[in-house]
Amino acid sequence: MLFSIVLLLHFGCFAGYLAVLATQWSDYHTKVRDHKGLILGIALLVTGIILVVLKYPHVNYYKVIPKTGIFAVVTLINIRFTNKTFTKAAYYALLALTMAAACIAIWH
């Protein structure tokens, strides 16, 4: 039951982060970002760690390791563009990485 609740929270944070990116679709190059993406990213990290702890030792490392790498790259992009607007390459990289993480999550 606890695992399912945390998984639902994790999915909600992921969907929220994707929604934050989607709302910037038309003005990613002019709009300075707020802290919603940061808060959702931290919540994603925390719920992801909790999910791994709850599932240990039967962790799907073939999913956890690539998603952690993707999370690290997304974090570096967000750090690079702190208090700045995204470039086209950075914005589309964030979208592609977020969708790649989603594909890894649902892949069996």
Side-chain angles (χ1 to χ4, degrees), residues 6 9-10 15 21 23 37 46-47 49 53 65 69 75 86 88 106:
V6 175
L9 286 171
H10 188 72
L21 287 177
T23 58
V46 170
T47 55
I49 290 169
V53 169
I65 293 171
T75 301
F86 284 128
K88 184 176 185 177
I106 62 171

Side-chain angles (χ1 to χ4, degrees), residues 17 20-21 23-24 27-39 74-87 90-91 94:
Y17 183 74
V20 167
L21 287 177
T23 58
Q24 296 176 345
D27 61 352
Y28 67 87
H29 56 286
T30 58
K31 184 177 179 183
V32 177
R33 296 169 291 126
D34 55 10
H35 293 289
K36 284 185 279 191
L38 174 66
I39 293 167
V74 167
T75 301
L76 291 174
I77 292 171
N78 280 308
I79 288 171
R80 166 71 175 89
F81 290 96
T82 301
N83 296 326
K84 299 178 189 172
T85 59
F86 284 128
T87 62
Y91 179 75
L94 283 175

